[in-house]
PDB file of all heavy atoms in Angstrom:
ATOM      1  N   TRP M 367      30.211 106.054  91.815  1.00 92.00           N
ATOM      2  CA  TRP M 367      30.137 105.262  90.592  1.00 92.00           C
ATOM      3  C   TRP M 367      31.503 105.178  89.910  1.00 92.00           C
ATOM      4  O   TRP M 367      32.338 106.070  90.037  1.00 92.00           O
ATOM      5  CB  TRP M 367      29.137 105.888  89.619  1.00 92.00           C
ATOM      6  CG  TRP M 367      27.709 105.599  89.976  1.00 92.00           C
ATOM      7  CD1 TRP M 367      27.229 105.114  91.155  1.00 92.00           C
ATOM      8  CD2 TRP M 367      26.575 105.801  89.139  1.00 92.00           C
ATOM      9  NE1 TRP M 367      25.867 105.008  91.104  1.00 92.00           N
ATOM     10  CE2 TRP M 367      25.430 105.416  89.884  1.00 92.00           C
ATOM     11  CE3 TRP M 367      26.406 106.275  87.835  1.00 92.00           C
ATOM     12  CZ2 TRP M 367      24.137 105.480  89.358  1.00 92.00           C
ATOM     13  CZ3 TRP M 367      25.116 106.344  87.322  1.00 92.00           C
ATOM     14  CH2 TRP M 367      24.002 105.947  88.078  1.00 92.00           C
ATOM     15  N   VAL M 368      31.717 104.095  89.168  1.00 89.00           N
ATOM     16  CA  VAL M 368      32.982 103.892  88.473  1.00 89.00           C
ATOM     17  C   VAL M 368      32.878 104.136  86.965  1.00 89.00           C
ATOM     18  O   VAL M 368      33.891 104.219  86.284  1.00 89.00           O
ATOM     19  CB  VAL M 368      33.528 102.469  88.719  1.00 89.00           C
ATOM     20  CG1 VAL M 368      33.817 102.265  90.190  1.00 89.00           C
ATOM     21  CG2 VAL M 368      32.548 101.410  88.214  1.00 89.00           C
ATOM     22  N   ARG M 369      31.645 104.230  86.460  1.00 90.00           N
ATOM     23  CA  ARG M 369      31.464 104.526  85.036  1.00 90.00           C
ATOM     24  C   ARG M 369      30.020 104.922  84.791  1.00 90.00           C
ATOM     25  O   ARG M 369      29.141 104.709  85.632  1.00 90.00           O
ATOM     26  CB  ARG M 369      31.816 103.336  84.149  1.00 90.00           C
ATOM     27  CG  ARG M 369      30.988 102.095  84.371  1.00 90.00           C
ATOM     28  CD  ARG M 369      31.312 101.049  83.327  1.00 90.00           C
ATOM     29  NE  ARG M 369      30.958 101.521  81.988  1.00 90.00           N
ATOM     30  CZ  ARG M 369      30.371 100.753  81.076  1.00 90.00           C
ATOM     31  NH1 ARG M 369      30.075  99.501  81.355  1.00 90.00           N
ATOM     32  NH2 ARG M 369      30.092 101.229  79.890  1.00 90.00           N
ATOM     33  N   LEU M 370      29.781 105.528  83.622  1.00 94.00           N
ATOM     34  CA  LEU M 370      28.430 105.843  83.187  1.00 94.00           C
ATOM     35  C   LEU M 370      28.008 104.868  82.092  1.00 94.00           C
ATOM     36  O   LEU M 370      28.816 104.075  81.606  1.00 94.00           O
ATOM     37  CB  LEU M 370      28.370 107.283  82.677  1.00 94.00           C
ATOM     38  CG  LEU M 370      28.655 108.380  83.711  1.00 94.00           C
ATOM     39  CD1 LEU M 370      28.629 109.761  83.060  1.00 94.00           C
ATOM     40  CD2 LEU M 370      27.674 108.330  84.871  1.00 94.00           C
ATOM     41  N   ASN M 371      26.748 104.947  81.729  1.00 92.00           N
ATOM     42  CA  ASN M 371      26.237 104.040  80.692  1.00 92.00           C
ATOM     43  C   ASN M 371      25.279 104.770  79.751  1.00 92.00           C
ATOM     44  O   ASN M 371      24.177 104.311  79.482  1.00 92.00           O
ATOM     45  CB  ASN M 371      25.526 102.849  81.336  1.00 92.00           C
ATOM     46  CG  ASN M 371      26.500 101.856  81.954  1.00 92.00           C
ATOM     47  OD1 ASN M 371      27.185 101.116  81.244  1.00 92.00           O
ATOM     48  ND2 ASN M 371      26.567 101.844  83.272  1.00 92.00           N
ATOM     49  N   PHE M 372      25.726 105.917  79.241  1.00 94.00           N
ATOM     50  CA  PHE M 372      24.927 106.651  78.269  1.00 94.00           C
ATOM     51  C   PHE M 372      25.155 106.061  76.877  1.00 94.00           C
ATOM     52  O   PHE M 372      26.298 105.893  76.441  1.00 94.00           O
ATOM     53  CB  PHE M 372      25.288 108.134  78.281  1.00 94.00           C
ATOM     54  CG  PHE M 372      24.760 108.866  79.495  1.00 94.00           C
ATOM     55  CD1 PHE M 372      25.548 109.025  80.630  1.00 94.00           C
ATOM     56  CD2 PHE M 372      23.479 109.380  79.494  1.00 94.00           C
ATOM     57  CE1 PHE M 372      25.065 109.693  81.734  1.00 94.00           C
ATOM     58  CE2 PHE M 372      22.979 110.038  80.596  1.00 94.00           C
ATOM     59  CZ  PHE M 372      23.769 110.205  81.722  1.00 94.00           C
ATOM     60  N   ASP M 373      24.059 105.795  76.174  1.00 87.00           N
ATOM     61  CA  ASP M 373      24.146 105.093  74.894  1.00 87.00           C
ATOM     62  C   ASP M 373      24.588 105.991  73.742  1.00 87.00           C
ATOM     63  O   ASP M 373      25.353 105.563  72.879  1.00 87.00           O
ATOM     64  CB  ASP M 373      22.791 104.466  74.534  1.00 87.00           C
ATOM     65  CG  ASP M 373      22.417 103.345  75.485  1.00 87.00           C
ATOM     66  OD1 ASP M 373      23.332 102.739  76.072  1.00 87.00           O
ATOM     67  OD2 ASP M 373      21.214 103.078  75.641  1.00 87.00           O
ATOM     68  N   ASP M 374      24.073 107.228  73.688  1.00 92.00           N
ATOM     69  CA  ASP M 374      24.369 108.095  72.538  1.00 92.00           C
ATOM     70  C   ASP M 374      24.234 109.555  72.941  1.00 92.00           C
ATOM     71  O   ASP M 374      23.820 109.886  74.055  1.00 92.00           O
ATOM     72  CB  ASP M 374      23.451 107.761  71.356  1.00 92.00           C
ATOM     73  CG  ASP M 374      21.974 107.821  71.741  1.00 92.00           C
ATOM     74  OD1 ASP M 374      21.561 108.785  72.423  1.00 92.00           O
ATOM     75  OD2 ASP M 374      21.232 106.893  71.374  1.00 92.00           O
ATOM     76  N   ASP M 375      24.592 110.422  72.024  1.00 95.00           N
ATOM     77  CA  ASP M 375      24.589 111.864  72.315  1.00 95.00           C
ATOM     78  C   ASP M 375      23.185 112.396  72.611  1.00 95.00           C
ATOM     79  O   ASP M 375      23.023 113.336  73.390  1.00 95.00           O
ATOM     80  CB  ASP M 375      25.184 112.630  71.139  1.00 95.00           C
ATOM     81  CG  ASP M 375      26.702 112.568  71.111  1.00 95.00           C
ATOM     82  OD1 ASP M 375      27.275 111.900  72.010  1.00 95.00           O
ATOM     83  OD2 ASP M 375      27.321 113.156  70.206  1.00 95.00           O
ATOM     84  N   GLU M 376      22.169 111.805  71.989  1.00 96.00           N
ATOM     85  CA  GLU M 376      20.807 112.283  72.215  1.00 96.00           C
ATOM     86  C   GLU M 376      20.402 112.082  73.680  1.00 96.00           C
ATOM     87  O   GLU M 376      19.764 112.953  74.290  1.00 96.00           O
ATOM     88  CB  GLU M 376      19.839 111.539  71.293  1.00 96.00           C
ATOM     89  CG  GLU M 376      18.451 112.172  71.257  1.00 96.00           C
ATOM     90  CD  GLU M 376      17.546 111.481  70.251  1.00 96.00           C
ATOM     91  OE1 GLU M 376      17.867 110.354  69.821  1.00 96.00           O
ATOM     92  OE2 GLU M 376      16.507 112.075  69.907  1.00 96.00           O
ATOM     93  N   VAL M 377      20.793 110.953  74.252  1.00 95.00           N
ATOM     94  CA  VAL M 377      20.476 110.692  75.658  1.00 95.00           C
ATOM     95  C   VAL M 377      21.315 111.597  76.565  1.00 95.00           C
ATOM     96  O   VAL M 377      20.835 112.088  77.595  1.00 95.00           O
ATOM     97  CB  VAL M 377      20.718 109.198  75.986  1.00 95.00           C
ATOM     98  CG1 VAL M 377      20.476 108.931  77.472  1.00 95.00           C
ATOM     99  CG2 VAL M 377      19.797 108.320  75.142  1.00 95.00           C
ATOM    100  N   ILE M 378      22.568 111.835  76.190  1.00 97.00           N
ATOM    101  CA  ILE M 378      23.412 112.755  76.953  1.00 97.00           C
ATOM    102  C   ILE M 378      22.803 114.145  76.976  1.00 97.00           C
ATOM    103  O   ILE M 378      22.725 114.807  78.025  1.00 97.00           O
ATOM    104  CB  ILE M 378      24.839 112.799  76.362  1.00 97.00           C
ATOM    105  CG1 ILE M 378      25.542 111.455  76.549  1.00 97.00           C
ATOM    106  CG2 ILE M 378      25.656 113.919  77.014  1.00 97.00           C
ATOM    107  CD1 ILE M 378      26.853 111.337  75.800  1.00 97.00           C
ATOM    108  N   GLU M 379      22.357 114.611  75.816  1.00 97.00           N
ATOM    109  CA  GLU M 379      21.771 115.947  75.727  1.00 97.00           C
ATOM    110  C   GLU M 379      20.474 116.053  76.527  1.00 97.00           C
ATOM    111  O   GLU M 379      20.184 117.082  77.138  1.00 97.00           O
ATOM    112  CB  GLU M 379      21.524 116.304  74.257  1.00 97.00           C
ATOM    113  CG  GLU M 379      22.820 116.545  73.491  1.00 97.00           C
ATOM    114  CD  GLU M 379      22.627 116.517  71.988  1.00 97.00           C
ATOM    115  OE1 GLU M 379      21.434 116.527  71.549  1.00 97.00           O
ATOM    116  OE2 GLU M 379      23.626 116.487  71.248  1.00 97.00           O
ATOM    117  N   SER M 380      19.693 114.980  76.566  1.00 96.00           N
ATOM    118  CA  SER M 380      18.460 115.003  77.353  1.00 96.00           C
ATOM    119  C   SER M 380      18.785 115.051  78.851  1.00 96.00           C
ATOM    120  O   SER M 380      18.077 115.709  79.628  1.00 96.00           O
ATOM    121  CB  SER M 380      17.587 113.791  77.027  1.00 96.00           C
ATOM    122  OG  SER M 380      18.143 112.589  77.544  1.00 96.00           O
ATOM    123  N   PHE M 381      19.860 114.368  79.256  1.00 97.00           N
ATOM    124  CA  PHE M 381      20.285 114.438  80.659  1.00 97.00           C
ATOM    125  C   PHE M 381      20.715 115.852  81.021  1.00 97.00           C
ATOM    126  O   PHE M 381      20.405 116.353  82.107  1.00 97.00           O
ATOM    127  CB  PHE M 381      21.419 113.447  80.902  1.00 97.00           C
ATOM    128  CG  PHE M 381      21.991 113.515  82.300  1.00 97.00           C
ATOM    129  CD1 PHE M 381      21.268 113.029  83.382  1.00 97.00           C
ATOM    130  CD2 PHE M 381      23.240 114.071  82.529  1.00 97.00           C
ATOM    131  CE1 PHE M 381      21.784 113.102  84.671  1.00 97.00           C
ATOM    132  CE2 PHE M 381      23.762 114.134  83.806  1.00 97.00           C
ATOM    133  CZ  PHE M 381      23.034 113.648  84.880  1.00 97.00           C
ATOM    134  N   LEU M 382      21.421 116.515  80.119  1.00 97.00           N
ATOM    135  CA  LEU M 382      21.809 117.903  80.368  1.00 97.00           C
ATOM    136  C   LEU M 382      20.588 118.816  80.431  1.00 97.00           C
ATOM    137  O   LEU M 382      20.533 119.742  81.248  1.00 97.00           O
ATOM    138  CB  LEU M 382      22.770 118.376  79.283  1.00 97.00           C
ATOM    139  CG  LEU M 382      24.149 117.691  79.276  1.00 97.00           C
ATOM    140  CD1 LEU M 382      24.927 118.089  78.028  1.00 97.00           C
ATOM    141  CD2 LEU M 382      24.932 118.038  80.528  1.00 97.00           C
ATOM    142  N   ARG M 383      19.590 118.552  79.601  1.00 97.00           N
ATOM    143  CA  ARG M 383      18.385 119.395  79.624  1.00 97.00           C
ATOM    144  C   ARG M 383      17.621 119.244  80.936  1.00 97.00           C
ATOM    145  O   ARG M 383      17.083 120.230  81.447  1.00 97.00           O
ATOM    146  CB  ARG M 383      17.474 119.051  78.437  1.00 97.00           C
ATOM    147  CG  ARG M 383      17.974 119.601  77.103  1.00 97.00           C
ATOM    148  CD  ARG M 383      16.873 119.575  76.053  1.00 97.00           C
ATOM    149  NE  ARG M 383      16.410 118.215  75.769  1.00 97.00           N
ATOM    150  CZ  ARG M 383      16.965 117.421  74.859  1.00 97.00           C
ATOM    151  NH1 ARG M 383      18.008 117.843  74.161  1.00 97.00           N
ATOM    152  NH2 ARG M 383      16.491 116.208  74.643  1.00 97.00           N
ATOM    153  N   VAL M 384      17.567 118.032  81.482  1.00 97.00           N
ATOM    154  CA  VAL M 384      16.865 117.869  82.763  1.00 97.00           C
ATOM    155  C   VAL M 384      17.649 118.533  83.893  1.00 97.00           C
ATOM    156  O   VAL M 384      17.101 118.856  84.948  1.00 97.00           O
ATOM    157  CB  VAL M 384      16.596 116.378  83.061  1.00 97.00           C
ATOM    158  CG1 VAL M 384      17.814 115.681  83.669  1.00 97.00           C
ATOM    159  CG2 VAL M 384      15.404 116.212  83.997  1.00 97.00           C
ATOM    160  N   ASN M 385      18.944 118.792  83.648  1.00 97.00           N
ATOM    161  CA  ASN M 385      19.756 119.578  84.565  1.00 97.00           C
ATOM    162  C   ASN M 385      19.682 121.067  84.248  1.00 97.00           C
ATOM    163  O   ASN M 385      20.432 121.862  84.825  1.00 97.00           O
ATOM    164  CB  ASN M 385      21.218 119.126  84.511  1.00 97.00           C
ATOM    165  CG  ASN M 385      21.481 117.905  85.365  1.00 97.00           C
ATOM    166  OD1 ASN M 385      21.702 118.008  86.559  1.00 97.00           O
ATOM    167  ND2 ASN M 385      21.454 116.729  84.736  1.00 97.00           N
ATOM    168  N   GLU M 386      18.822 121.439  83.303  1.00 96.00           N
ATOM    169  CA  GLU M 386      18.572 122.828  82.903  1.00 96.00           C
ATOM    170  C   GLU M 386      19.704 123.432  82.064  1.00 96.00           C
ATOM    171  O   GLU M 386      19.929 124.644  82.089  1.00 96.00           O
ATOM    172  CB  GLU M 386      18.287 123.730  84.118  1.00 96.00           C
ATOM    173  CG  GLU M 386      17.018 123.379  84.869  1.00 96.00           C
ATOM    174  CD  GLU M 386      15.748 123.781  84.113  1.00 96.00           C
ATOM    175  OE1 GLU M 386      15.877 124.302  82.985  1.00 96.00           O
ATOM    176  OE2 GLU M 386      14.646 123.574  84.645  1.00 96.00           O
ATOM    177  N   TYR M 387      20.403 122.590  81.297  1.00 96.00           N
ATOM    178  CA  TYR M 387      21.416 123.088  80.368  1.00 96.00           C
ATOM    179  C   TYR M 387      21.065 122.647  78.955  1.00 96.00           C
ATOM    180  O   TYR M 387      20.741 121.484  78.714  1.00 96.00           O
ATOM    181  CB  TYR M 387      22.805 122.582  80.753  1.00 96.00           C
ATOM    182  CG  TYR M 387      23.398 123.346  81.916  1.00 96.00           C
ATOM    183  CD1 TYR M 387      23.448 122.780  83.194  1.00 96.00           C
ATOM    184  CD2 TYR M 387      23.890 124.629  81.733  1.00 96.00           C
ATOM    185  CE1 TYR M 387      23.978 123.490  84.257  1.00 96.00           C
ATOM    186  CE2 TYR M 387      24.426 125.346  82.789  1.00 96.00           C
ATOM    187  CZ  TYR M 387      24.461 124.777  84.055  1.00 96.00           C
ATOM    188  OH  TYR M 387      24.973 125.493  85.103  1.00 96.00           O
ATOM    189  N   ASP M 388      21.159 123.597  78.034  1.00 96.00           N
ATOM    190  CA  ASP M 388      20.807 123.362  76.640  1.00 96.00           C
ATOM    191  C   ASP M 388      22.037 123.655  75.770  1.00 96.00           C
ATOM    192  O   ASP M 388      22.489 124.801  75.677  1.00 96.00           O
ATOM    193  CB  ASP M 388      19.640 124.282  76.252  1.00 96.00           C
ATOM    194  CG  ASP M 388      19.167 124.048  74.830  1.00 96.00           C
ATOM    195  OD1 ASP M 388      19.789 123.243  74.099  1.00 96.00           O
ATOM    196  OD2 ASP M 388      18.169 124.684  74.436  1.00 96.00           O
ATOM    197  N   LEU M 389      22.566 122.625  75.131  1.00 96.00           N
ATOM    198  CA  LEU M 389      23.791 122.786  74.354  1.00 96.00           C
ATOM    199  C   LEU M 389      23.593 123.618  73.098  1.00 96.00           C
ATOM    200  O   LEU M 389      24.583 124.003  72.460  1.00 96.00           O
ATOM    201  CB  LEU M 389      24.363 121.415  73.984  1.00 96.00           C
ATOM    202  CG  LEU M 389      24.921 120.590  75.153  1.00 96.00           C
ATOM    203  CD1 LEU M 389      25.546 119.298  74.640  1.00 96.00           C
ATOM    204  CD2 LEU M 389      25.940 121.374  75.963  1.00 96.00           C
ATOM    205  N   THR M 390      22.368 123.913  72.733  1.00 95.00           N
ATOM    206  CA  THR M 390      22.152 124.804  71.591  1.00 95.00           C
ATOM    207  C   THR M 390      22.385 126.274  71.979  1.00 95.00           C
ATOM    208  O   THR M 390      22.466 127.125  71.088  1.00 95.00           O
ATOM    209  CB  THR M 390      20.728 124.655  71.030  1.00 95.00           C
ATOM    210  OG1 THR M 390      19.771 125.093  72.006  1.00 95.00           O
ATOM    211  CG2 THR M 390      20.448 123.213  70.642  1.00 95.00           C
TER     212      THR M 390
END
């Protein structure tokens, strides 16, 4: 891929959670 298309931080954080990482 040449770029991502994440709209906002909430969606980024949900992607990290499905990868089993919690920024809290």
Side-chain angles (χ1 to χ4, degrees):
W367 282 15
V368 297
R369 61 173 296 222
L370 296 177
N371 286 287
F372 286 94
D373 293 335
D374 54 45
D375 282 1
E376 192 176 16
V377 176
I378 293 170
E379 290 164 12
S380 71
F381 176 72
L382 293 171
R383 285 196 298 272
V384 82
N385 278 276
E386 295 287 2
Y387 282 104
D388 183 355
L389 291 184
T390 65

